[in-house]
Amino acid sequence: MANKLGKVAVIGGGYMGTQIAVQCALFGFPTSVYVRTEKSHERFNRYLEQFQIMLKKSNKFKEEKILGINQKINVLLTLEDVVSNADLIIETVIEEAEVKKQTFIQINKFCKKEVIIASNTSTFVPSMFTECMKKPENFACIHFHTYVWTSSVVEVMPHVGTSQETLKKLKSFVLKIGQVPLMMKKESANYVFNAIMMEINRVALSMVSNGISDVREIDMAWRGIMKISNGPFAIMDMVGLDTIYEINNYWANKLNDEQLIKNSELLKSYVKAGKLGVKTGEGFYKY
């Protein structure tokens, strides 16, 4: 295995994929991004502009570093061109297991033998995808949180066959892009933070879907008592209600949980209306 992870490939230019690409570029990593269509490319450019404005306002980085992101990121519509020379591939496609499996199969047709492949999946565990890998020992999950440059924690989840060398290199990479690695000892659905947050979200959504309280009252209670700036619904808006719906709906169907099914219907009503949260300007709140 190569001594370092130099070139990064991000598969998917959505809301989180763009953030990951931005973070890699900010810290000097040449980053290629795969998008399927010109429309997806345009969406990536909109997100990139939005995030650069956000970074300038944060005063965390010098302006020339933020402007330099554009020179470090290359967006392409051909998967082979994106992955063939990459040292690290980070998958960020839609949260559907079969879509991810097919994506990994295609990646493994074109990638280098020694490449490290990582999934940013929010829901699934890495052992679900090892059969798609030429070298399963080089595969793990690496989970970022929005907004990447402020959340600053990345969870690394191995499967039983992930090599220690792969974990060592992923930890080093996470540190090099200005993040704090949380190295999990074994795979577990929803990682660490999401496992906790899902339980909070379940209770918060249940109180709304069961008519007990409303969004603003619940968030006000959370903010007032915990002395933090965002409550559960504001956090869900930041993550994206489409992502929250996909995760909630997966577990609702898997567990046949009546309350989760009810909560999914609530989330679905927002998704169908195009109210996905911060990224669309409206979710539970308007932005």
Side-chain angles (χ1 to χ4, degrees):
M1 190 177 288
N3 290 328
K4 63 178 182 177
L5 303 179
K7 295 179 181 178
V8 178
V10 176
I11 311 304
Y15 200 63
M16 183 53 75
T18 307
Q19 290 182 52
I20 294 170
V22 165
Q23 188 73 16
C24 293
L26 271 172
F27 285 83
F29 283 84
T31 304
S32 296
V33 180
Y34 171 67
V35 295
R36 291 188 302 131
T37 65
E38 286 293 348
K39 187 176 180 179
S40 298
H41 192 172
E42 291 169 7
R43 181 185 62 178
F44 174 89
N45 288 336
R46 289 196 303 272
Y47 287 151
L48 179 59
E49 183 179 0
Q50 176 186 335
F51 296 145
Q52 285 179 304
I53 292 169
M54 191 181 296
L55 285 165
K56 287 177 185 177
K57 289 180 178 178
S58 74
N59 295 317
K60 287 187 69 174
F61 302 94
K62 292 181 179 179
E63 187 167 356
E64 57 265 31
K65 197 169 186 179
I66 297 169
L67 293 173
I69 290 170
N70 299 70
Q71 281 69 54
K72 287 289 182 181
I73 295 177
N74 189 24
V75 184
L76 298 165
L77 277 75
T78 306
L79 183 64
E80 182 176 3
D81 292 340
V82 171
V83 305
S84 58
N85 292 313
D87 301 306
L88 171 64
I89 299 170
I90 303 173
E91 170 273 315
T92 71
V93 303
I94 189 170
E95 199 70 359
E96 293 182 9
E98 192 55 39
V99 174
K100 289 184 183 292
K101 285 179 181 179
Q102 292 305 314
T103 300
F104 287 131
I105 289 169
Q106 291 302 310
I107 287 170
N108 277 268
K109 286 181 180 178
F110 304 121
C111 67
K112 296 190 296 187
K113 183 180 178 182
E114 298 300 328
V115 70
I116 290 178
I117 301 175
S119 176
N120 187 61
T121 177
S122 299
T123 310
F124 308 122
V125 293
S127 59
M128 292 175 62
F129 307 110
T130 52
E131 64 183 13
C132 307
M133 304 295 163
K134 287 191 289 191
K135 297 199 72 174
E137 63 270 31
N138 289 1
F139 175 63
C141 287
I142 178 171
H143 189 243
F144 293 78
H145 294 270
T146 195
Y147 297 106
V148 171
W149 40 89
T150 54
S151 293
S152 299
V153 172
V154 174
E155 295 151 314
V156 179
M157 184 198 298
H159 61 90
V160 68
T162 305
S163 73
Q164 289 302 309
E165 184 69 12
T166 294
L167 294 175
K168 180 181 176 182
K169 291 186 182 301
L170 286 174
K171 181 178 181 179
S172 175
F173 167 75
V174 170
L175 288 167
K176 285 177 180 177
I177 60 169
Q179 301 285 290
V180 178
L182 193 161
M183 307 300 292
M184 296 180 65
K185 295 179 180 180
K186 61 181 181 180
E187 66 178 26
S188 177
N190 305 312
Y191 303 87
V192 175
F193 178 80
N194 278 6
I196 298 167
M197 199 66 212
M198 273 190 67
E199 293 303 314
I200 295 170
N201 289 349
R202 177 192 172 105
V203 174
L205 289 164
S206 297
M207 284 193 286
V208 173
S209 64
N210 292 332
I212 295 168
S213 189
D214 63 31
V215 168
R216 293 183 184 277
E217 294 288 324
I218 294 165
D219 273 5
M220 182 173 67
W222 190 262
R223 293 196 312 270
I225 295 166
M226 297 300 294
K227 308 304 178 189
I228 57 177
S229 57
N230 291 315
F233 290 97
I235 293 171
M236 283 188 263
D237 270 356
M238 288 174 62
V239 173
L241 299 190
D242 50 344
T243 300
I244 299 294
Y245 168 72
E246 287 163 5
I247 295 169
N248 194 91
N249 197 51
Y250 171 81
W251 288 108
N253 291 322
K254 187 177 180 66
L255 302 174
N256 194 27
D257 185 300
E258 186 176 337
Q259 185 61 59
L260 284 178
I261 291 168
K262 196 172 182 180
N263 293 350
S264 286
E265 288 303 312
L266 172 63
L267 290 163
K268 188 177 181 180
S269 67
Y270 283 86
V271 174
K272 285 184 71 174
K275 298 177 180 179
L276 307 184
V278 175
K279 61 186 173 184
T280 58
E282 185 175 0
F284 290 115
Y285 297 97
K286 288 186 178 180
Y287 300 90

